[in-house]
Amino acid sequence: MGIVGNLSPDQLQFFNSQGYLVIESFASKDEIDAMMKRMQQLLDDFDPSSTASIFSTKNQQQSTDDYFYESVEKVSYFFEEKAFGDDGNLKQPKQLSINKVGHALHEIEPAFKKFSFSEKFSSLMYSLGYKRPAILQSMYIFKQPGIGGEVVPHQDSSFLYTEPETCTGLWLALEDANIINGCLWAIPGSHKNGLVRRFVRDEDGVKFDRPSPSYDRKDFVPIDVKAGSLVVIHGDLIHQSFENQSPKSRHAYSLHVVDTDGCKWAPENWIRRKVEPEPLYVS
Ligand code: FE2
């Protein structure tokens, strides 16, 4: 018997036409609790003076340091741009200053590993036609109240480019995500227009190979989801999120998967692993 994926024909049809798909109740409450609790512990133990690296898709210069590159195989902490005062000190507690933690939670932290390598992800990827899917990066995204910055319109394949393109984003809402607290927004069907630019790494650092086209805000639709919902994102889908304007957090856990069979990892990608990623298997 062959491998049976878990997407229905209707779900596949929606994904292929729209470039994204919402799967409600993908994660159980226990899985969400385990990941959120572990992240709370990690943040409590984190010494913010150990790093002052700030990640922002707007500010490429600061994402060029070794801390960023080395995070590929570590659990690393990236601050919000607005976390620091003029004196260089954090303006609020460290727990409310972090933009994201990445990029190897799925390999290092058991609660995240258990969820990320669960059969529901592997069967999802096989049902999308992957032959040997592997997770290239994981991120715990905080979208902090008040300072949780916007993520400008982009395509995930810009950052994780393979030939042919195989990147898929998997975005799990750990808390309800809506238009007030910074849910995802996407241009339905935009994946059909192909990749517009790449994010490349060379000896000078990382940069986009061309400027971003401008997008019309009215073309985007909000992807308002409940905690536990998974948003599957085609690598060429134009998507973004706005600032969190609510007084509460909006945590999410995201994974990016590529096929490691029949496609070539681009050497210019920012991710350069020393060890091959372990594929997702179904039993
Ligand atoms: Fe994205």
mmCIF file with all atom_site columns, all heavy atoms in Angstrom, residues 164-188:
data_model
loop_
_atom_site.group_PDB
_atom_site.id
_atom_site.type_symbol
_atom_site.label_atom_id
_atom_site.label_alt_id
_atom_site.label_comp_id
_atom_site.label_asym_id
_atom_site.label_entity_id
_atom_site.label_seq_id
_atom_site.pdbx_PDB_ins_code
_atom_site.Cartn_x
_atom_site.Cartn_y
_atom_site.Cartn_z
_atom_site.occupancy
_atom_site.B_iso_or_equiv
_atom_site.pdbx_formal_charge
_atom_site.auth_seq_id
_atom_site.auth_comp_id
_atom_site.auth_asym_id
_atom_site.auth_atom_id
_atom_site.pdbx_PDB_model_num
ATOM 1   N N   . PRO A 1 164 ? 14.015 22.324 -8.882 1.00 0.00 ? 164 PRO A N   1
ATOM 2   C CA  . PRO A 1 164 ? 12.909 23.292 -8.970 1.00 0.00 ? 164 PRO A CA  1
ATOM 3   C C   . PRO A 1 164 ? 12.453 23.736 -7.581 1.00 0.00 ? 164 PRO A C   1
ATOM 4   O O   . PRO A 1 164 ? 12.863 23.147 -6.584 1.00 0.00 ? 164 PRO A O   1
ATOM 5   C CB  . PRO A 1 164 ? 11.805 22.491 -9.679 1.00 0.00 ? 164 PRO A CB  1
ATOM 6   C CG  . PRO A 1 164 ? 12.088 21.069 -9.310 1.00 0.00 ? 164 PRO A CG  1
ATOM 7   C CD  . PRO A 1 164 ? 13.591 20.948 -9.215 1.00 0.00 ? 164 PRO A CD  1
ATOM 8   N N   . GLU A 1 165 ? 11.619 24.766 -7.523 1.00 0.00 ? 165 GLU A N   1
ATOM 9   C CA  . GLU A 1 165 ? 11.161 25.293 -6.228 1.00 0.00 ? 165 GLU A CA  1
ATOM 10  C C   . GLU A 1 165 ? 10.298 24.275 -5.491 1.00 0.00 ? 165 GLU A C   1
ATOM 11  O O   . GLU A 1 165 ? 9.386  23.688 -6.086 1.00 0.00 ? 165 GLU A O   1
ATOM 12  C CB  . GLU A 1 165 ? 10.323 26.552 -6.454 1.00 0.00 ? 165 GLU A CB  1
ATOM 13  C CG  . GLU A 1 165 ? 11.143 27.768 -6.760 1.00 0.00 ? 165 GLU A CG  1
ATOM 14  C CD  . GLU A 1 165 ? 10.238 28.970 -6.968 1.00 0.00 ? 165 GLU A CD  1
ATOM 15  O OE1 . GLU A 1 165 ? 9.300  29.149 -6.179 1.00 0.00 ? 165 GLU A OE1 1
ATOM 16  O OE2 . GLU A 1 165 ? 10.472 29.708 -7.931 1.00 0.00 ? 165 GLU A OE2 1
ATOM 17  N N   . THR A 1 166 ? 10.605 24.109 -4.203 1.00 0.00 ? 166 THR A N   1
ATOM 18  C CA  . THR A 1 166 ? 9.812  23.145 -3.411 1.00 0.00 ? 166 THR A CA  1
ATOM 19  C C   . THR A 1 166 ? 9.471  23.664 -2.019 1.00 0.00 ? 166 THR A C   1
ATOM 20  O O   . THR A 1 166 ? 8.976  22.904 -1.181 1.00 0.00 ? 166 THR A O   1
ATOM 21  C CB  . THR A 1 166 ? 10.576 21.808 -3.236 1.00 0.00 ? 166 THR A CB  1
ATOM 22  O OG1 . THR A 1 166 ? 11.829 22.078 -2.593 1.00 0.00 ? 166 THR A OG1 1
ATOM 23  C CG2 . THR A 1 166 ? 10.806 21.108 -4.552 1.00 0.00 ? 166 THR A CG2 1
ATOM 24  N N   . CYS A 1 167 ? 9.745  24.932 -1.728 1.00 0.00 ? 167 CYS A N   1
ATOM 25  C CA  . CYS A 1 167 ? 9.521  25.416 -0.362 1.00 0.00 ? 167 CYS A CA  1
ATOM 26  C C   . CYS A 1 167 ? 8.017  25.526 -0.046 1.00 0.00 ? 167 CYS A C   1
ATOM 27  O O   . CYS A 1 167 ? 7.245  26.064 -0.841 1.00 0.00 ? 167 CYS A O   1
ATOM 28  C CB  . CYS A 1 167 ? 10.177 26.786 -0.195 1.00 0.00 ? 167 CYS A CB  1
ATOM 29  S SG  . CYS A 1 167 ? 9.836  27.538 1.398  1.00 0.00 ? 167 CYS A SG  1
ATOM 30  N N   . THR A 1 168 ? 7.648  25.028 1.112  1.00 0.00 ? 168 THR A N   1
ATOM 31  C CA  . THR A 1 168 ? 6.297  25.239 1.650  1.00 0.00 ? 168 THR A CA  1
ATOM 32  C C   . THR A 1 168 ? 6.434  25.737 3.082  1.00 0.00 ? 168 THR A C   1
ATOM 33  O O   . THR A 1 168 ? 7.242  25.205 3.858  1.00 0.00 ? 168 THR A O   1
ATOM 34  C CB  . THR A 1 168 ? 5.468  23.927 1.631  1.00 0.00 ? 168 THR A CB  1
ATOM 35  O OG1 . THR A 1 168 ? 5.249  23.530 0.276  1.00 0.00 ? 168 THR A OG1 1
ATOM 36  C CG2 . THR A 1 168 ? 4.107  24.117 2.305  1.00 0.00 ? 168 THR A CG2 1
ATOM 37  N N   . GLY A 1 169 ? 5.677  26.767 3.423  1.00 0.00 ? 169 GLY A N   1
ATOM 38  C CA  . GLY A 1 169 ? 5.642  27.280 4.793  1.00 0.00 ? 169 GLY A CA  1
ATOM 39  C C   . GLY A 1 169 ? 4.495  26.640 5.557  1.00 0.00 ? 169 GLY A C   1
ATOM 40  O O   . GLY A 1 169 ? 3.403  26.426 5.005  1.00 0.00 ? 169 GLY A O   1
ATOM 41  N N   . LEU A 1 170 ? 4.743  26.301 6.805  1.00 0.00 ? 170 LEU A N   1
ATOM 42  C CA  . LEU A 1 170 ? 3.712  25.712 7.668  1.00 0.00 ? 170 LEU A CA  1
ATOM 43  C C   . LEU A 1 170 ? 3.641  26.586 8.910  1.00 0.00 ? 170 LEU A C   1
ATOM 44  O O   . LEU A 1 170 ? 4.620  26.675 9.660  1.00 0.00 ? 170 LEU A O   1
ATOM 45  C CB  . LEU A 1 170 ? 4.097  24.275 8.032  1.00 0.00 ? 170 LEU A CB  1
ATOM 46  C CG  . LEU A 1 170 ? 4.288  23.334 6.833  1.00 0.00 ? 170 LEU A CG  1
ATOM 47  C CD1 . LEU A 1 170 ? 4.995  22.068 7.263  1.00 0.00 ? 170 LEU A CD1 1
ATOM 48  C CD2 . LEU A 1 170 ? 2.955  23.029 6.176  1.00 0.00 ? 170 LEU A CD2 1
ATOM 49  N N   . TRP A 1 171 ? 2.537  27.257 9.099  1.00 0.00 ? 171 TRP A N   1
ATOM 50  C CA  . TRP A 1 171 ? 2.427  28.305 10.128 1.00 0.00 ? 171 TRP A CA  1
ATOM 51  C C   . TRP A 1 171 ? 1.318  27.913 11.101 1.00 0.00 ? 171 TRP A C   1
ATOM 52  O O   . TRP A 1 171 ? 0.148  27.898 10.727 1.00 0.00 ? 171 TRP A O   1
ATOM 53  C CB  . TRP A 1 171 ? 2.114  29.623 9.428  1.00 0.00 ? 171 TRP A CB  1
ATOM 54  C CG  . TRP A 1 171 ? 2.172  30.868 10.226 1.00 0.00 ? 171 TRP A CG  1
ATOM 55  C CD1 . TRP A 1 171 ? 3.206  31.755 10.287 1.00 0.00 ? 171 TRP A CD1 1
ATOM 56  C CD2 . TRP A 1 171 ? 1.110  31.439 11.028 1.00 0.00 ? 171 TRP A CD2 1
ATOM 57  N NE1 . TRP A 1 171 ? 2.866  32.819 11.093 1.00 0.00 ? 171 TRP A NE1 1
ATOM 58  C CE2 . TRP A 1 171 ? 1.590  32.645 11.565 1.00 0.00 ? 171 TRP A CE2 1
ATOM 59  C CE3 . TRP A 1 171 ? -0.185 31.022 11.360 1.00 0.00 ? 171 TRP A CE3 1
ATOM 60  C CZ2 . TRP A 1 171 ? 0.826  33.450 12.396 1.00 0.00 ? 171 TRP A CZ2 1
ATOM 61  C CZ3 . TRP A 1 171 ? -0.954 31.823 12.199 1.00 0.00 ? 171 TRP A CZ3 1
ATOM 62  C CH2 . TRP A 1 171 ? -0.432 33.026 12.704 1.00 0.00 ? 171 TRP A CH2 1
ATOM 63  N N   . LEU A 1 172 ? 1.702  27.575 12.305 1.00 0.00 ? 172 LEU A N   1
ATOM 64  C CA  . LEU A 1 172 ? 0.727  27.119 13.301 1.00 0.00 ? 172 LEU A CA  1
ATOM 65  C C   . LEU A 1 172 ? 0.398  28.252 14.273 1.00 0.00 ? 172 LEU A C   1
ATOM 66  O O   . LEU A 1 172 ? 1.307  28.808 14.915 1.00 0.00 ? 172 LEU A O   1
ATOM 67  C CB  . LEU A 1 172 ? 1.299  25.938 14.087 1.00 0.00 ? 172 LEU A CB  1
ATOM 68  C CG  . LEU A 1 172 ? 0.353  25.410 15.167 1.00 0.00 ? 172 LEU A CG  1
ATOM 69  C CD1 . LEU A 1 172 ? -0.727 24.530 14.566 1.00 0.00 ? 172 LEU A CD1 1
ATOM 70  C CD2 . LEU A 1 172 ? 1.105  24.692 16.260 1.00 0.00 ? 172 LEU A CD2 1
ATOM 71  N N   . ALA A 1 173 ? -0.882 28.543 14.405 1.00 0.00 ? 173 ALA A N   1
ATOM 72  C CA  . ALA A 1 173 ? -1.301 29.535 15.403 1.00 0.00 ? 173 ALA A CA  1
ATOM 73  C C   . ALA A 1 173 ? -1.295 28.879 16.785 1.00 0.00 ? 173 ALA A C   1
ATOM 74  O O   . ALA A 1 173 ? -2.038 27.926 17.015 1.00 0.00 ? 173 ALA A O   1
ATOM 75  C CB  . ALA A 1 173 ? -2.698 30.047 15.061 1.00 0.00 ? 173 ALA A CB  1
ATOM 76  N N   . LEU A 1 174 ? -0.439 29.369 17.664 1.00 0.00 ? 174 LEU A N   1
ATOM 77  C CA  . LEU A 1 174 ? -0.438 28.874 19.048 1.00 0.00 ? 174 LEU A CA  1
ATOM 78  C C   . LEU A 1 174 ? -1.479 29.627 19.874 1.00 0.00 ? 174 LEU A C   1
ATOM 79  O O   . LEU A 1 174 ? -1.917 29.156 20.923 1.00 0.00 ? 174 LEU A O   1
ATOM 80  C CB  . LEU A 1 174 ? 0.953  29.051 19.669 1.00 0.00 ? 174 LEU A CB  1
ATOM 81  C CG  . LEU A 1 174 ? 2.065  28.242 19.003 1.00 0.00 ? 174 LEU A CG  1
ATOM 82  C CD1 . LEU A 1 174 ? 3.439  28.696 19.472 1.00 0.00 ? 174 LEU A CD1 1
ATOM 83  C CD2 . LEU A 1 174 ? 1.880  26.751 19.271 1.00 0.00 ? 174 LEU A CD2 1
ATOM 84  N N   . GLU A 1 175 ? -1.828 30.812 19.378 1.00 0.00 ? 175 GLU A N   1
ATOM 85  C CA  . GLU A 1 175 ? -2.896 31.615 19.970 1.00 0.00 ? 175 GLU A CA  1
ATOM 86  C C   . GLU A 1 175 ? -3.762 32.112 18.806 1.00 0.00 ? 175 GLU A C   1
ATOM 87  O O   . GLU A 1 175 ? -3.300 32.154 17.667 1.00 0.00 ? 175 GLU A O   1
ATOM 88  C CB  . GLU A 1 175 ? -2.305 32.801 20.738 1.00 0.00 ? 175 GLU A CB  1
ATOM 89  C CG  . GLU A 1 175 ? -1.425 32.360 21.906 1.00 0.00 ? 175 GLU A CG  1
ATOM 90  C CD  . GLU A 1 175 ? -0.767 33.534 22.631 1.00 0.00 ? 175 GLU A CD  1
ATOM 91  O OE1 . GLU A 1 175 ? 0.011  34.265 22.001 1.00 0.00 ? 175 GLU A OE1 1
ATOM 92  O OE2 . GLU A 1 175 ? -1.024 33.694 23.831 1.00 0.00 ? 175 GLU A OE2 1
ATOM 93  N N   . ASP A 1 176 ? -4.989 32.504 19.114 1.00 0.00 ? 176 ASP A N   1
ATOM 94  C CA  . ASP A 1 176 ? -5.856 33.016 18.053 1.00 0.00 ? 176 ASP A CA  1
ATOM 95  C C   . ASP A 1 176 ? -5.150 34.161 17.325 1.00 0.00 ? 176 ASP A C   1
ATOM 96  O O   . ASP A 1 176 ? -4.506 35.008 17.959 1.00 0.00 ? 176 ASP A O   1
ATOM 97  C CB  . ASP A 1 176 ? -7.171 33.562 18.626 1.00 0.00 ? 176 ASP A CB  1
ATOM 98  C CG  . ASP A 1 176 ? -8.022 32.472 19.284 1.00 0.00 ? 176 ASP A CG  1
ATOM 99  O OD1 . ASP A 1 176 ? -7.674 31.290 19.156 1.00 0.00 ? 176 ASP A OD1 1
ATOM 100 O OD2 . ASP A 1 176 ? -9.033 32.837 19.915 1.00 0.00 ? 176 ASP A OD2 1
ATOM 101 N N   . ALA A 1 177 ? -5.260 34.186 16.005 1.00 0.00 ? 177 ALA A N   1
ATOM 102 C CA  . ALA A 1 177 ? -4.643 35.262 15.206 1.00 0.00 ? 177 ALA A CA  1
ATOM 103 C C   . ALA A 1 177 ? -5.736 35.971 14.411 1.00 0.00 ? 177 ALA A C   1
ATOM 104 O O   . ALA A 1 177 ? -6.515 35.330 13.705 1.00 0.00 ? 177 ALA A O   1
ATOM 105 C CB  . ALA A 1 177 ? -3.596 34.683 14.262 1.00 0.00 ? 177 ALA A CB  1
ATOM 106 N N   . ASN A 1 178 ? -5.805 37.286 14.557 1.00 0.00 ? 178 ASN A N   1
ATOM 107 C CA  . ASN A 1 178 ? -6.867 38.048 13.883 1.00 0.00 ? 178 ASN A CA  1
ATOM 108 C C   . ASN A 1 178 ? -6.304 39.373 13.344 1.00 0.00 ? 178 ASN A C   1
ATOM 109 O O   . ASN A 1 178 ? -5.102 39.654 13.497 1.00 0.00 ? 178 ASN A O   1
ATOM 110 C CB  . ASN A 1 178 ? -8.038 38.278 14.843 1.00 0.00 ? 178 ASN A CB  1
ATOM 111 C CG  . ASN A 1 178 ? -7.575 38.921 16.138 1.00 0.00 ? 178 ASN A CG  1
ATOM 112 O OD1 . ASN A 1 178 ? -6.894 39.945 16.108 1.00 0.00 ? 178 ASN A OD1 1
ATOM 113 N ND2 . ASN A 1 178 ? -7.919 38.326 17.275 1.00 0.00 ? 178 ASN A ND2 1
ATOM 114 N N   . ILE A 1 179 ? -7.159 40.180 12.761 1.00 0.00 ? 179 ILE A N   1
ATOM 115 C CA  . ILE A 1 179 ? -6.658 41.394 12.096 1.00 0.00 ? 179 ILE A CA  1
ATOM 116 C C   . ILE A 1 179 ? -6.157 42.439 13.095 1.00 0.00 ? 179 ILE A C   1
ATOM 117 O O   . ILE A 1 179 ? -5.403 43.326 12.727 1.00 0.00 ? 179 ILE A O   1
ATOM 118 C CB  . ILE A 1 179 ? -7.706 42.020 11.146 1.00 0.00 ? 179 ILE A CB  1
ATOM 119 C CG1 . ILE A 1 179 ? -8.996 42.371 11.883 1.00 0.00 ? 179 ILE A CG1 1
ATOM 120 C CG2 . ILE A 1 179 ? -8.005 41.107 9.979  1.00 0.00 ? 179 ILE A CG2 1
ATOM 121 C CD1 . ILE A 1 179 ? -9.974 43.172 11.020 1.00 0.00 ? 179 ILE A CD1 1
ATOM 122 N N   . ILE A 1 180 ? -6.523 42.322 14.360 1.00 0.00 ? 180 ILE A N   1
ATOM 123 C CA  . ILE A 1 180 ? -6.045 43.280 15.360 1.00 0.00 ? 180 ILE A CA  1
ATOM 124 C C   . ILE A 1 180 ? -4.648 42.893 15.864 1.00 0.00 ? 180 ILE A C   1
ATOM 125 O O   . ILE A 1 180 ? -3.776 43.749 16.035 1.00 0.00 ? 180 ILE A O   1
ATOM 126 C CB  . ILE A 1 180 ? -7.016 43.371 16.570 1.00 0.00 ? 180 ILE A CB  1
ATOM 127 C CG1 . ILE A 1 180 ? -8.451 43.653 16.105 1.00 0.00 ? 180 ILE A CG1 1
ATOM 128 C CG2 . ILE A 1 180 ? -6.537 44.428 17.577 1.00 0.00 ? 180 ILE A CG2 1
ATOM 129 C CD1 . ILE A 1 180 ? -8.632 44.978 15.392 1.00 0.00 ? 180 ILE A CD1 1
ATOM 130 N N   . ASN A 1 181 ? -4.439 41.600 16.078 1.00 0.00 ? 181 ASN A N   1
ATOM 131 C CA  . ASN A 1 181 ? -3.151 41.204 16.675 1.00 0.00 ? 181 ASN A CA  1
ATOM 132 C C   . ASN A 1 181 ? -2.114 40.728 15.659 1.00 0.00 ? 181 ASN A C   1
ATOM 133 O O   . ASN A 1 181 ? -1.065 40.208 16.045 1.00 0.00 ? 181 ASN A O   1
ATOM 134 C CB  . ASN A 1 181 ? -3.363 40.182 17.801 1.00 0.00 ? 181 ASN A CB  1
ATOM 135 C CG  . ASN A 1 181 ? -3.837 38.828 17.299 1.00 0.00 ? 181 ASN A CG  1
ATOM 136 O OD1 . ASN A 1 181 ? -3.863 38.568 16.098 1.00 0.00 ? 181 ASN A OD1 1
ATOM 137 N ND2 . ASN A 1 181 ? -4.210 37.960 18.229 1.00 0.00 ? 181 ASN A ND2 1
ATOM 138 N N   . GLY A 1 182 ? -2.369 40.931 14.376 1.00 0.00 ? 182 GLY A N   1
ATOM 139 C CA  . GLY A 1 182 ? -1.304 40.680 13.397 1.00 0.00 ? 182 GLY A CA  1
ATOM 140 C C   . GLY A 1 182 ? -1.340 39.310 12.758 1.00 0.00 ? 182 GLY A C   1
ATOM 141 O O   . GLY A 1 182 ? -0.304 38.640 12.653 1.00 0.00 ? 182 GLY A O   1
ATOM 142 N N   . CYS A 1 183 ? -2.520 38.879 12.298 1.00 0.00 ? 183 CYS A N   1
ATOM 143 C CA  . CYS A 1 183 ? -2.605 37.583 11.600 1.00 0.00 ? 183 CYS A CA  1
ATOM 144 C C   . CYS A 1 183 ? -1.917 37.686 10.231 1.00 0.00 ? 183 CYS A C   1
ATOM 145 O O   . CYS A 1 183 ? -1.511 38.774 9.800  1.00 0.00 ? 183 CYS A O   1
ATOM 146 C CB  . CYS A 1 183 ? -4.068 37.171 11.413 1.00 0.00 ? 183 CYS A CB  1
ATOM 147 S SG  . CYS A 1 183 ? -5.011 38.235 10.286 1.00 0.00 ? 183 CYS A SG  1
ATOM 148 N N   . LEU A 1 184 ? -1.810 36.545 9.564  1.00 0.00 ? 184 LEU A N   1
ATOM 149 C CA  . LEU A 1 184 ? -1.275 36.531 8.202  1.00 0.00 ? 184 LEU A CA  1
ATOM 150 C C   . LEU A 1 184 ? -2.277 37.173 7.243  1.00 0.00 ? 184 LEU A C   1
ATOM 151 O O   . LEU A 1 184 ? -3.491 37.076 7.440  1.00 0.00 ? 184 LEU A O   1
ATOM 152 C CB  . LEU A 1 184 ? -1.032 35.088 7.744  1.00 0.00 ? 184 LEU A CB  1
ATOM 153 C CG  . LEU A 1 184 ? 0.068  34.286 8.432  1.00 0.00 ? 184 LEU A CG  1
ATOM 154 C CD1 . LEU A 1 184 ? 0.008  32.834 7.971  1.00 0.00 ? 184 LEU A CD1 1
ATOM 155 C CD2 . LEU A 1 184 ? 1.432  34.875 8.110  1.00 0.00 ? 184 LEU A CD2 1
ATOM 156 N N   . TRP A 1 185 ? -1.733 37.814 6.208  1.00 0.00 ? 185 TRP A N   1
ATOM 157 C CA  . TRP A 1 185 ? -2.531 38.299 5.078  1.00 0.00 ? 185 TRP A CA  1
ATOM 158 C C   . TRP A 1 185 ? -1.855 37.778 3.811  1.00 0.00 ? 185 TRP A C   1
ATOM 159 O O   . TRP A 1 185 ? -0.627 37.695 3.754  1.00 0.00 ? 185 TRP A O   1
ATOM 160 C CB  . TRP A 1 185 ? -2.542 39.839 5.018  1.00 0.00 ? 185 TRP A CB  1
ATOM 161 C CG  . TRP A 1 185 ? -3.281 40.539 6.119  1.00 0.00 ? 185 TRP A CG  1
ATOM 162 C CD1 . TRP A 1 185 ? -2.925 40.580 7.441  1.00 0.00 ? 185 TRP A CD1 1
ATOM 163 C CD2 . TRP A 1 185 ? -4.486 41.312 6.002  1.00 0.00 ? 185 TRP A CD2 1
ATOM 164 N NE1 . TRP A 1 185 ? -3.836 41.341 8.154  1.00 0.00 ? 185 TRP A NE1 1
ATOM 165 C CE2 . TRP A 1 185 ? -4.805 41.802 7.292  1.00 0.00 ? 185 TRP A CE2 1
ATOM 166 C CE3 . TRP A 1 185 ? -5.320 41.642 4.932  1.00 0.00 ? 185 TRP A CE3 1
ATOM 167 C CZ2 . TRP A 1 185 ? -5.915 42.599 7.546  1.00 0.00 ? 185 TRP A CZ2 1
ATOM 168 C CZ3 . TRP A 1 185 ? -6.435 42.448 5.180  1.00 0.00 ? 185 TRP A CZ3 1
ATOM 169 C CH2 . TRP A 1 185 ? -6.733 42.909 6.468  1.00 0.00 ? 185 TRP A CH2 1
ATOM 170 N N   . ALA A 1 186 ? -2.661 37.444 2.804  1.00 0.00 ? 186 ALA A N   1
ATOM 171 C CA  . ALA A 1 186 ? -2.076 36.906 1.570  1.00 0.00 ? 186 ALA A CA  1
ATOM 172 C C   . ALA A 1 186 ? -2.849 37.393 0.356  1.00 0.00 ? 186 ALA A C   1
ATOM 173 O O   . ALA A 1 186 ? -4.025 37.763 0.463  1.00 0.00 ? 186 ALA A O   1
ATOM 174 C CB  . ALA A 1 186 ? -2.097 35.375 1.615  1.00 0.00 ? 186 ALA A CB  1
ATOM 175 N N   . ILE A 1 187 ? -2.175 37.389 -0.786 1.00 0.00 ? 187 ILE A N   1
ATOM 176 C CA  . ILE A 1 187 ? -2.858 37.671 -2.059 1.00 0.00 ? 187 ILE A CA  1
ATOM 177 C C   . ILE A 1 187 ? -3.228 36.327 -2.674 1.00 0.00 ? 187 ILE A C   1
ATOM 178 O O   . ILE A 1 187 ? -2.342 35.593 -3.156 1.00 0.00 ? 187 ILE A O   1
ATOM 179 C CB  . ILE A 1 187 ? -1.960 38.465 -3.041 1.00 0.00 ? 187 ILE A CB  1
ATOM 180 C CG1 . ILE A 1 187 ? -1.493 39.772 -2.416 1.00 0.00 ? 187 ILE A CG1 1
ATOM 181 C CG2 . ILE A 1 187 ? -2.716 38.718 -4.346 1.00 0.00 ? 187 ILE A CG2 1
ATOM 182 C CD1 . ILE A 1 187 ? -0.589 40.604 -3.320 1.00 0.00 ? 187 ILE A CD1 1
ATOM 183 N N   . PRO A 1 188 ? -4.523 35.948 -2.609 1.00 0.00 ? 188 PRO A N   1
ATOM 184 C CA  . PRO A 1 188 ? -4.912 34.629 -3.126 1.00 0.00 ? 188 PRO A CA  1
ATOM 185 C C   . PRO A 1 188 ? -4.510 34.459 -4.589 1.00 0.00 ? 188 PRO A C   1
ATOM 186 O O   . PRO A 1 188 ? -4.699 35.368 -5.400 1.00 0.00 ? 188 PRO A O   1
ATOM 187 C CB  . PRO A 1 188 ? -6.445 34.625 -2.962 1.00 0.00 ? 188 PRO A CB  1
ATOM 188 C CG  . PRO A 1 188 ? -6.722 35.648 -1.898 1.00 0.00 ? 188 PRO A CG  1
ATOM 189 C CD  . PRO A 1 188 ? -5.674 36.701 -2.086 1.00 0.00 ? 188 PRO A CD  1
#
